[in-house]
Amino acid sequence: METTKFSVASSLKKRYIRIAPILFFLYVINFLDRVNLSYAISAGMFPDIGVPKSSADLIAGIASALFFVAYAIPQVFTTLRINKVGVRKIFAIAFTAWGIITIITGFVQNVPEIYALRFILGLAEAPFYAGVMFFMGVWFVESERGVANAFFNAAIPVAGIFGGLLSGEIFTVYGNNPGWRYLFIIEGILALVSVVILWIVLTDFPSQAKWMKKEEINALEADLDIEQKNKALKVPWKKALMEPDVILLTLVYFFGVTALYGYSIWLPSIIGSFAHVNAASSSFLSDIPYIVAAIALIFILRYSDRKGDRKKLTAIIFFIAFIGLAISAFSISNAYVSFAFFTISAIGIFTFLPVFWNIPQESLTKESSAASIGLINGLGNLGGAVGPIVVGGLETVTHSFVAGVYGMALFALVAGILVLFVKHSR
């Protein structure tokens, strides 16, 4: 048994070096292509294509929402397919598709075109996140997965930092228009470049890893098999979808994602509105919440792996988001205080993901995990449709983002309360 443990430990560095950086890079590209619309919105994309300013925010919210409606459609089945064939082929197809779609978005001339492209983009991106969460369970045992998830999900704030710098620089050089068009084209090209990289670097399953020793592969697979036998929920995948915990986790993820994408899609616009600055300045200022979240993520994940109480920590993270957003909206008359608490809320908004995803990974067997993660990710991500529409719609009605920020606070509060009722979690 000691030999097995030593072999698993000996391969950990190899697996981290081989897998973690490429997944991190791919998620940066993925998140950029998902939220680049937020920077384009603040640069006046929708008035540029003929939308009246009075309804531009609502139309922009609908465009963002269509992505997540499409995103939910193929989730369970694409994740089950990944369980059979691995991620390499499916990810290559997905990145190629959404790279082309993002480039075409840079040439849109009207609202129907942007609606169609955002919907198709949602279909193209559907396999990625849930596929990676399943992939982590294939390559890392439970004691290793927290760090692996942390490294992967750190891509969100890093993508936000990079996206803010890139868009700010583009808008400074080219102006708002055609700056927002160049933004889509450049980020679409990055997605296409990613296809070559992932095809060369990724390995679907440990049994195919030529870069690991045979005894290391055997030891890893043996430990993963033991882990499967000790899972809390040992039910077929179809029944797993009806488990109370899976339904509850789907609701938690829905409310959490509603706050996440209400925040990230409207982040530059909210900052621009609160601070009264132009698109380039709001893009640069958008980096501050992402930087704070990236730093906080390091400490939160260290604590999570040390204490292992995923459920309570996830709830605390959501409560931080709630408090930060609520005080930010309440103190709108003082731009500095409001921005400070809006930044603090980013700790909760952007760090719940890696802690949350440990819960279904640690409680469900392999096939059940694949289907359930697909369900949680697919239906939960419908919150990405609700968040942008709620914030954009409330801004259209009230001519202020304050009501939308209060709305996001409420969503975070509900998510924090619901996660406490999950039973099979440590």
Side-chain angles (χ1 to χ4, degrees):
M1 188 69 175
E2 290 183 4
T3 304
T4 300
K5 289 295 182 185
F6 176 77
S7 297
V8 171
S10 68
S11 70
L12 178 58
K13 185 176 180 180
K14 291 181 183 177
R15 286 179 280 127
Y16 274 145
I17 291 174
R18 182 80 182 197
I19 296 170
I22 180 61
L23 293 181
F24 178 88
F25 171 75
L26 293 177
Y27 196 20
V28 168
I29 302 303
N30 173 261
F31 197 75
L32 279 176
D33 282 345
R34 188 175 296 191
V35 301
N36 48 20
L37 186 66
S38 66
Y39 300 104
I41 291 170
S42 70
M45 171 187 179
F46 284 89
D48 286 344
I49 60 174
V51 178
K53 287 187 177 181
S54 60
S55 58
D57 288 336
L58 178 59
I59 298 297
I62 294 171
S64 178
L66 285 170
F67 169 94
F68 293 98
V69 172
Y71 185 85
I73 295 172
Q75 281 291 316
V76 171
F77 302 104
T78 55
T79 314
L80 283 172
R81 187 62 181 166
I82 286 173
N83 183 32
K84 303 293 183 183
V85 305
V87 301
R88 198 159 159 259
K89 291 179 181 178
I90 293 177
F91 282 8
I93 294 170
F95 271 79
T96 300
W98 87 55
I100 293 170
I101 293 164
T102 303
I103 291 171
I104 295 172
T105 304
F107 297 91
V108 294
Q109 298 297 323
N110 54 57
V111 172
E113 288 178 1
I114 188 63
Y115 278 177
L117 288 168
R118 292 299 292 185
F119 186 86
I120 299 170
L121 183 66
L123 293 175
E125 290 197 19
F128 181 68
Y129 192 89
V132 171
M133 290 297 100
F134 170 74
F135 189 65
M136 291 288 196
V138 171
W139 280 98
F140 298 102
V141 298
E142 183 177 311
S143 60
E144 304 164 343
R145 210 169 289 140
V147 175
N149 280 346
F151 191 80
F152 173 65
N153 282 284
I156 291 182
V158 171
I161 295 167
F162 179 67
L165 292 173
L166 178 62
S167 59
E169 187 62 29
I170 290 174
F171 296 151
T172 299
V173 174
Y174 296 103
N176 291 356
N177 187 10
W180 63 265
R181 294 187 183 275
Y182 286 126
L183 181 66
F184 286 114
I185 293 168
I186 291 170
E187 293 182 359
I189 292 171
L190 288 175
L192 295 180
V193 171
S194 303
V195 177
V196 178
I197 298 173
L198 74 86
W199 190 260
I200 294 171
V201 177
L202 284 181
T203 305
D204 287 315
F205 301 104
S207 60
Q208 301 169 345
K210 296 180 181 179
W211 42 272
M212 286 175 65
K213 296 177 181 179
K214 183 65 176 176
E215 58 268 27
E216 291 173 338
I217 294 172
N218 292 339
L220 176 60
E221 290 182 334
D223 271 27
L224 288 170
D225 285 342
I226 292 171
E227 186 178 309
Q228 292 296 313
K229 293 174 184 177
N230 294 328
K231 295 284 188 175
L233 295 176
K234 302 175 183 176
V235 294
W237 72 266
K238 291 181 181 179
K239 288 187 178 180
L241 298 181
M242 300 306 295
E243 281 290 324
D245 272 3
V246 173
I247 296 171
L248 199 54
L249 287 169
T250 301
L251 290 172
V252 172
Y253 197 55
F254 171 83
F255 286 109
V257 168
T258 300
L260 169 64
Y261 284 105
Y263 190 102
S264 57
I265 292 296
W266 291 105
L267 176 58
S269 297
I270 291 173
I271 290 176
S273 172
F274 285 9
H276 306 290
V277 295
N278 61 24
S281 297
S282 65
S283 294
F284 287 127
L285 286 172
S286 296
D287 279 347
I288 296 175
Y290 284 116
I291 291 170
V292 170
I295 295 170
L297 185 63
I298 297 170
F299 295 99
I300 287 171
L301 265 299
R302 283 182 178 177
Y303 178 86
S304 175
D305 280 349
R306 187 170 68 251
K307 297 295 183 179
D309 196 338
R310 316 292 193 190
K311 181 170 65 175
K312 289 182 181 178
L313 182 56
T314 302
I316 291 170
I317 289 169
F318 280 128
F319 294 151
I320 290 172
F322 162 70
I323 293 169
L325 289 167
I327 296 177
S328 175
F330 182 76
S331 60
I332 185 63
S333 59
N334 188 319
Y336 294 102
V337 173
S338 182
F339 181 73
F341 278 97
F342 195 67
T343 298
I344 289 170
S345 72
I347 296 172
I349 293 291
F350 293 118
T351 65
F352 84 89
L353 288 169
V355 182
F356 170 87
W357 278 114
N358 280 303
I359 299 174
Q361 285 177 327
E362 292 173 355
S363 62
L364 290 159
T365 55
K366 188 176 180 182
E367 189 178 23
S368 297
S369 176
S372 298
I373 286 173
L375 180 75
I376 294 167
N377 191 54
L379 295 184
N381 262 295
L382 287 174
V386 175
I389 288 180
V390 168
V391 176
L394 287 173
E395 197 285 331
T396 298
V397 173
T398 65
H399 306 292
S400 170
F401 282 108
V402 172
V405 174
Y406 274 126
M408 289 187 286
L410 178 61
F411 295 133
L413 176 62
V414 173
I417 293 171
L418 287 177
V419 75
L420 293 173
F421 292 93
V422 175
K423 291 182 179 179
H424 296 96
S425 175
R426 63 191 181 102

